[in-house]
Amino acid sequence: MAASISPLRSSYRICNSLSFHHYRAKLRMHRKCESQRRHLHASVTRHAAVVVSGTEMARQIHREIQREVEELVTGGNMRPHLGVVLVGDDPASRTYVRNKTRAASILGRKGISSDTVVKPASVSQDELLELIDKMNRDWKVSGLLVQLPLPGHITERAVCNAIAPEKDVDGFHIVNIGKLCLGQTSMVPATPAAVWEIIRRTGIETVGKNVLVAGRSKNVGLPIAMLLHTDRNHQRPGGDATVTIAHRCTPREQLKELTRLADIVIAAAGVPGLITVDMVKEGAAVIDVGINRVQDRTTGKLRLVGDVDFEGVKEKAGFITPVPGGVGPMTVAMLMKNTVAAARYALTH
């Protein structure tokens, strides 16, 4: 304080004709102008978040996959083939499968082939396991996935563990999850791999940073946390971040405290608008994994939204992914990368 008013004091001594009240008025004006200047500077230098387009990033990955597949084919090898099993007629599952097979078809003659085996919801677990075993032994099938969720009479864990780990492009086999947690090379689940790739390609720093993962699902939240907290010097390099996992039992106020400390917030709880602007640290990276269908108040139609209040948070965050067009397209792209990795593995084993 003394340093900031000393020029005024000097002026006061030189111009001793100024009254004390006049001096105090000038001091108040000086402070007011300084406060306004600082506020103006902050408002001018603050920018809206960089919106990370998962769609554009996925296109880049598709081009990389095409080049990689061409190398395989030039070497006299067959193109990678993705086998998909769809059980029942769940609309969301059909949409997910359609997106995956469409991505393979977009790659066209330069990319990955695929086919989908559809089974009725009444299929028995034994019959489904027999189909998986047959596809495991089919050398033409590079990668294999069974779309989840499954009907209630089928044990999902038994199905995930029935897929050969080296063909498990979803990364859900117990061996792949175990290797992931140990920082070893493995098939990484596509959505966590998408989040990791977005962070890596965007240049978001993770080493020593605070990360809050909202969501603890075994297929998304947990693998994301493993990728970010493990050692970057391991066989499968991690992010060396300090990771906290929140979930549905975390009190709202505690969640807010945790997100305010986070340099990176990953929202994967499946709760529309869970993360709001008051919960985000200035300049934080916010990655929205949520895919929620809500009714539009104006049109009455269903629309997709994430777990983040996008319009509010983008004014405060440093980076943010949209929904749709963020993690979703990247998830499909990483599934294609896993399929190519499976094809390469088959050539050496």
Side-chain angles (χ1 to χ4, degrees):
M1 180 62 71
S4 65
I5 64 174
S6 57
L8 291 178
R9 285 178 175 169
S10 299
S11 177
Y12 178 68
R13 293 190 188 101
I14 295 170
C15 304
N16 53 21
S17 61
L18 292 173
S19 68
F20 178 73
H21 294 293
H22 188 191
Y23 164 73
R24 291 292 299 273
K26 291 184 68 176
L27 180 59
R28 284 196 299 270
M29 180 62 70
H30 172 77
R31 288 172 173 168
K32 181 178 180 181
C33 290
E34 178 66 14
S35 175
Q36 290 175 340
R37 186 190 65 79
R38 289 175 179 171
H39 176 75
L40 179 61
H41 177 72
S43 64
V44 168
T45 57
R46 184 182 296 124
H47 301 283
V50 174
V51 178
V52 181
S53 172
T55 302
E56 289 301 319
M57 198 175 288
R59 287 178 183 148
Q60 179 183 349
I61 293 173
H62 288 164
R63 290 191 291 270
E64 294 170 5
I65 291 172
Q66 288 176 337
R67 289 193 293 268
E68 191 170 358
V69 171
E70 282 306 299
E71 289 179 7
L72 286 173
V73 174
T74 301
N77 304 296
M78 62 171 282
R79 295 191 183 280
H81 181 83
L82 174 64
V84 181
V85 178
L86 174 62
V87 179
D89 55 1
D90 178 71
S93 292
R94 285 187 175 275
T95 298
Y96 294 145
V97 167
R98 185 168 59 250
N99 290 341
K100 293 167 184 177
T101 54
R102 182 185 296 159
S105 67
I106 287 173
L107 294 173
R109 294 189 303 275
K110 296 183 178 181
I112 298 167
S113 61
S114 69
D115 70 283
T116 303
V117 178
V118 181
K119 290 292 183 180
S122 59
V123 67
S124 70
Q125 180 166 308
D126 286 343
E127 185 181 349
L128 184 57
L129 294 178
E130 287 177 9
L131 172 62
I132 292 170
D133 181 61
K134 179 181 177 181
M135 297 177 78
N136 281 339
R137 290 183 282 107
D138 187 348
W139 63 272
K140 296 188 295 296
V141 177
S142 309
L144 171 60
L145 71 87
V146 177
Q147 182 64 45
L148 304 180
L150 294 169
H153 66 281
I154 297 177
T155 304
E156 287 189 357
R157 178 43 51 194
V159 170
C160 291
N161 287 344
I163 299 172
E166 64 273 14
K167 290 190 176 186
D168 173 34
V169 291
D170 260 342
F172 295 161
H173 193 285
I174 192 170
V175 168
N176 284 322
I177 291 294
K179 286 184 175 181
L180 173 68
C181 293
L182 293 173
Q184 297 179 0
T185 301
S186 66
M187 287 290 189
V188 178
T191 298
V195 171
W196 175 251
E197 198 70 7
I198 287 170
I199 290 172
R200 188 180 71 82
R201 291 184 183 240
T202 308
I204 298 169
E205 183 59 70
T206 62
V207 178
K209 300 299 183 180
N210 289 324
V211 177
L212 187 283
V213 180
R216 60 178 176 182
S217 74
K218 300 302 181 285
N219 298 337
V220 180
L222 176 64
I224 286 172
M226 291 300 105
L227 286 169
L228 285 165
H229 101 95
T230 46
D231 196 321
R232 66 186 182 279
N233 296 315
H234 279 180
Q235 186 183 53
R236 193 268 306 141
D240 267 333
T242 301
V243 180
T244 302
I245 302 176
H247 46 80
R248 61 184 176 84
C249 295
T250 305
R252 174 78 180 183
E253 287 305 310
Q254 184 179 347
L255 175 63
K256 184 182 291 188
E257 290 177 9
L258 295 171
T259 54
R260 283 176 172 174
L261 294 173
D263 303 295
I264 303 172
V265 176
I266 300 169
V271 179
L274 175 67
I275 305 299
T276 52
V277 64
D278 60 315
M279 301 171 69
V280 176
K281 177 181 178 180
E282 187 81 38
V286 181
I287 300 179
D288 194 349
V289 185
I291 300 178
N292 310 289
R293 288 173 172 80
V294 300
Q295 189 173 37
D296 191 292
R297 294 179 180 178
T298 304
T299 65
K301 297 180 179 179
L302 291 179
R303 62 186 180 94
L304 285 180
V305 299
D307 287 2
V308 176
D309 175 16
F310 180 82
E311 292 301 325
V313 172
K314 76 174 182 179
E315 298 302 322
K316 192 175 182 182
F319 295 90
I320 191 169
T321 60
V323 176
V327 174
M330 282 294 291
T331 294
V332 177
M334 298 312 293
L335 183 70
M336 299 300 111
K337 280 185 72 73
N338 281 352
T339 303
V340 175
R344 284 196 175 278
Y345 181 90
L347 294 176
T348 56
H349 292 79

